Amino acid sequence: MKLTLRRKIVGGFGLLLVLIALLGWVTLSLFGSLRGVQRRIFEDAIPGLVTVDEIVRAYTAESAAVRGYLINGQADLLDEYHSEVAQAQLWQTRGDHLFASGDEQDLLHQLILAGTNFESLIDDRVIPLVNRGNRTQAFRVLGDDGSPLIARISTLGGLLREAQDREVAQTEADVRSHNNQTLLILGVVLAGALGVGIVVAFVLPRRLVSNIDTLVEAARGIERGDFDQPIDIESGDEIEELGHRFREMQSGLKRLQQLALQDRELEIAASVQRNLLQRTLPETAEVRLRPLQRQANLVGGDWYDVDLEGQILTVVVGDSSGKGIAAALMATVALSALRAERGMGAGPTRVIERANRALLDATDADSFTTAIYSTLDLTNGEVRWLNMGHPAPFLLRGSATRSDPAGGFFLEGPRNRALGWFEEPGLVPAVTRLEAGDRLILYTDGFLEAKSPEGEVFGEHRFADSALTIAAAGNEDLPGELVRAVETFAAGKLDDDLTMLVIEFLGTGRRAVHTTPGDERWHSKR
């Protein structure tokens, strides 16, 4: 009996459906067993590894917190220690439920015992010694008795990890065995399905099938995050149009992925920069500080730092070249070097030298950072500063009025080289003395270089005019009003960061002698 084409197609598809159903049944059966094996990994072995790591991490973090507390005495580090103690107890409780074998239980109990002994050492000996003011003895006890316990904790943690690794390795071997069985059976079933599919494919548009397969592979590639999957379809029909749309979708998704990564990097950099910049300012009866920072982008190169040590107030304002993450990284290097060196008791010259060396080592030859490093003696109002290629500070006298230009002027002291360019940037200081009511303005070049829609720069003369006008009007928000003046001039289009720190000297209770060198009208002689 001759089979009609319709019967051949129906019979072929029917047999193909039977084979597909068989394939599905075999696949479900085998994958069911695979899930059981995988469950052993995800519910026992891997959580066990995580638990061991968290227990060891908690004890290590306890040690680090206590050492930090011994070094700087910050109470929040002691709170962190107690928090890590609670975390260690939580993970130990989980470990009791996860580790079933006798060896694992024994190792876990030894680990818990070592950790308990370490915490007892801290609570019973180290912290009481600190409370009695004997930090040196506390360090010795922590080093002599605590370090061996931490080392034992790490060793026991390593043994537990090895036990869990063996469990994972055995489970992986089981998975490979099941995978081999699955591939063998699937291969047999697929061979039968392929034979029927080849017969059916001869009576179907093979080109259509090929094009559809190409689109399917592209879709799978997109699911995996692969947006470069080739799509070459030239059928002259809707499938070709669909392939073209797929390519456009791949390009769009790739651009979106890159933008998302860039946005995330910028958010991280902005968070780091915000954390580095000083959030609180020291308060004294002699000085009032008014900071302002307006960034053109999420991150930028402008920065400032304030420190009070005894009767010496240190104020630094800096500006790193470039924009975006590169400028933010330079600002981070400069600020970190300044704080580190100042924290070791170095003077301004040494601090600037080390910051210059750090920038030379960490940045390329075209990068630089300008800065004003100033110190104010609160006992007599004397200000000393190093100008490292930065715009000159502007001084507003307490009696400044709009009709008295001499009441405000740029302090045109020695101008040294910018940081990060030369081995010897020059370290010539400048000095002046503030009287009660005087305001010293430190700022970045974004104020001076702002441009109007016609291309004219704001410049020093407009800066001085604006500062005198605002001072004469008695407005307390000098930084905010200066920013508004610049924004108005630039019609709201500012491409550079704006950073300003106003130091208002309130006086010392004694009449200070004014010895400002080179007093002049506000306009610049540069």
Side-chain angles (χ1 to χ4, degrees):
M1 183 180 74
K2 296 176 66 175
L3 294 176
T4 64
L5 180 60
R6 179 175 178 275
R7 288 180 179 177
K8 290 179 180 179
I9 295 175
V10 171
F13 273 109
L15 181 58
L16 184 60
L17 290 174
V18 171
L19 290 173
I20 291 174
L22 178 61
L23 177 64
W25 177 79
V26 171
T27 303
L28 289 175
S29 299
L30 293 176
F31 281 141
S33 62
L34 283 176
R35 281 197 298 270
V37 175
Q38 292 169 342
R39 190 178 299 113
R40 288 165 54 193
I41 295 178
F42 292 106
E43 293 184 1
D44 296 329
I46 292 179
L49 286 172
V50 173
T51 299
V52 171
D53 288 338
E54 286 297 326
I55 292 174
V56 174
R57 183 208 62 76
Y59 287 129
T60 304
E62 290 176 16
S63 175
V66 171
R67 289 182 185 277
Y69 175 67
L70 292 179
I71 293 172
N72 54 36
Q74 292 183 353
D76 56 347
L77 292 174
L78 195 57
D79 295 337
E80 182 180 340
Y81 161 73
H82 291 299
S83 173
E84 292 298 339
V85 170
Q87 286 294 317
Q89 294 173 352
L90 173 64
W91 286 104
Q92 289 167 10
T93 303
R94 295 184 181 179
D96 286 334
H97 299 292
L98 286 174
F99 301 130
S101 71
D103 292 340
E104 292 176 348
Q105 283 285 341
D106 182 59
L107 288 172
L108 177 63
H109 291 159
Q110 293 182 47
L111 177 60
I112 294 174
L113 178 60
T116 303
N117 291 338
F118 177 76
E119 292 170 353
S120 299
L121 175 70
I122 298 304
D123 295 332
D124 299 340
R125 297 179 62 188
V126 174
I127 293 179
L129 285 172
V130 175
N131 293 335
R132 292 196 296 270
N134 197 344
R135 292 183 179 271
T136 302
Q137 183 63 23
F139 262 115
R140 186 177 298 111
V141 171
L142 182 61
D144 294 343
D145 299 336
S147 296
L149 289 174
I150 291 298
R152 178 165 176 76
I153 288 170
S154 299
T155 301
L156 292 172
L159 293 175
L160 268 175
R161 291 190 195 96
E162 291 176 2
Q164 291 300 297
D165 286 338
R166 288 193 295 271
E167 178 69 19
V168 172
Q170 180 59 43
T171 306
E172 289 176 346
D174 295 341
V175 170
R176 285 194 294 271
S177 176
H178 283 78
N179 280 340
N180 292 335
Q181 296 177 11
T182 301
L183 290 174
L184 179 60
I185 297 175
L186 289 179
V188 172
V189 177
L190 283 173
L194 182 60
V196 177
I198 291 174
V199 174
V200 175
F202 281 114
V203 295
L204 293 176
R206 289 179 295 177
R207 192 173 186 183
L208 176 63
V209 172
S210 176
N211 292 337
I212 291 177
D213 286 343
T214 300
L215 294 176
V216 170
E217 287 302 318
R220 290 173 179 169
I222 291 173
E223 182 181 9
R224 296 191 303 268
D226 180 8
F227 303 128
D228 296 317
Q229 192 82 8
I231 304 175
D232 298 323
I233 299 176
E234 296 181 359
S235 60
D237 53 19
E238 292 81 3
I239 299 298
E240 181 177 345
E241 175 68 17
L242 185 59
H244 177 68
R245 299 305 175 194
F246 256 84
R247 288 193 296 271
E248 290 182 345
M249 181 174 64
Q250 285 178 323
S251 299
L253 290 173
K254 191 173 183 179
R255 287 194 297 271
L256 288 175
Q257 184 186 51
Q258 292 171 346
L259 290 173
L261 290 174
Q262 292 173 358
D263 289 344
R264 179 56 181 160
E265 291 175 352
L266 284 173
E267 289 174 2
I268 293 173
S271 176
V272 171
Q273 191 174 42
R274 284 194 301 271
N275 291 335
L276 279 174
L277 289 177
Q278 197 153 359
R279 300 180 182 178
T280 59
L281 298 176
E283 295 182 1
T284 70
E286 296 85 0
V287 169
R288 182 184 295 121
L289 299 172
R290 297 184 184 277
L292 179 142
Q293 187 167 50
R294 181 190 183 281
Q295 292 180 333
N297 302 301
L298 277 176
V299 293
D302 284 12
W303 51 274
Y304 66 85
D305 191 39
V306 182
D307 182 64
L308 178 63
E309 186 68 28
Q311 292 297 309
I312 301 299
L313 178 71
T314 301
V315 179
V316 191
V317 173
D319 184 4
S320 298
S321 63
K323 298 182 181 298
I325 293 179
L329 289 175
M330 277 199 298
T332 301
V333 171
L335 188 55
S336 300
L338 289 171
R339 288 179 176 172
E341 198 65 27
R342 192 175 63 230
M344 293 188 291
T349 300
R350 176 65 174 172
V351 169
I352 290 297
E353 285 178 342
R354 296 301 298 167
N356 184 63
R357 169 49 55 189
L359 288 168
L360 282 171
D361 294 339
T363 60
D364 56 48
D366 295 331
S367 302
F368 63 91
T369 296
T370 67
I372 291 281
Y373 193 101
S374 63
T375 58
L376 169 61
D377 190 336
L378 302 182
T379 62
N380 56 20
E382 183 180 83
V383 181
R384 293 181 176 272
W385 72 92
L386 288 168
N387 187 338
M388 311 308 296
H390 202 78
F394 189 81
L395 178 61
L396 271 175
R397 288 300 181 195
S399 59
T401 64
R402 185 65 186 87
S403 59
D404 179 19
F409 48 86
F410 290 99
L411 296 176
E412 298 288 354
R415 187 74 61 92
N416 302 297
R417 295 168 174 171
L419 301 175
W421 259 0
F422 301 94
E423 294 286 342
E424 298 293 337
L427 297 167
V428 181
V431 61
T432 189
R433 192 178 298 273
L434 301 182
E435 298 178 348
D438 287 352
R439 284 176 284 184
L440 183 64
I441 305 174
L442 306 181
Y443 55 94
T444 56
D445 60 7
F447 285 90
L448 306 181
E449 295 177 358
K451 292 183 178 181
S452 68
E454 294 77 23
E456 188 177 0
V457 296
F458 192 70
E460 292 178 335
H461 62 292
R462 289 190 179 89
F463 182 92
D465 276 338
S466 299
L468 287 167
T469 300
I470 295 167
N475 196 311
E476 292 293 328
D477 186 16
L478 178 61
E481 290 298 322
L482 281 171
V483 168
R484 279 186 279 276
V486 173
E487 287 180 332
T488 301
F489 177 79
K493 296 180 180 180
L494 295 176
D495 299 326
D496 201 358
D497 303 331
L498 299 178
T499 296
M500 177 176 289
L501 206 152
V502 178
I503 307 170
E504 183 177 359
F505 185 62
L506 304 178
T508 62
R510 302 188 303 270
R511 182 175 180 82
V513 179
H514 176 56
T515 60
T516 302
D519 282 357
E520 58 207 55
R521 295 171 63 86
W522 56 257
H523 61 275
S524 172
K525 292 183 178 179
R526 285 178 285 171

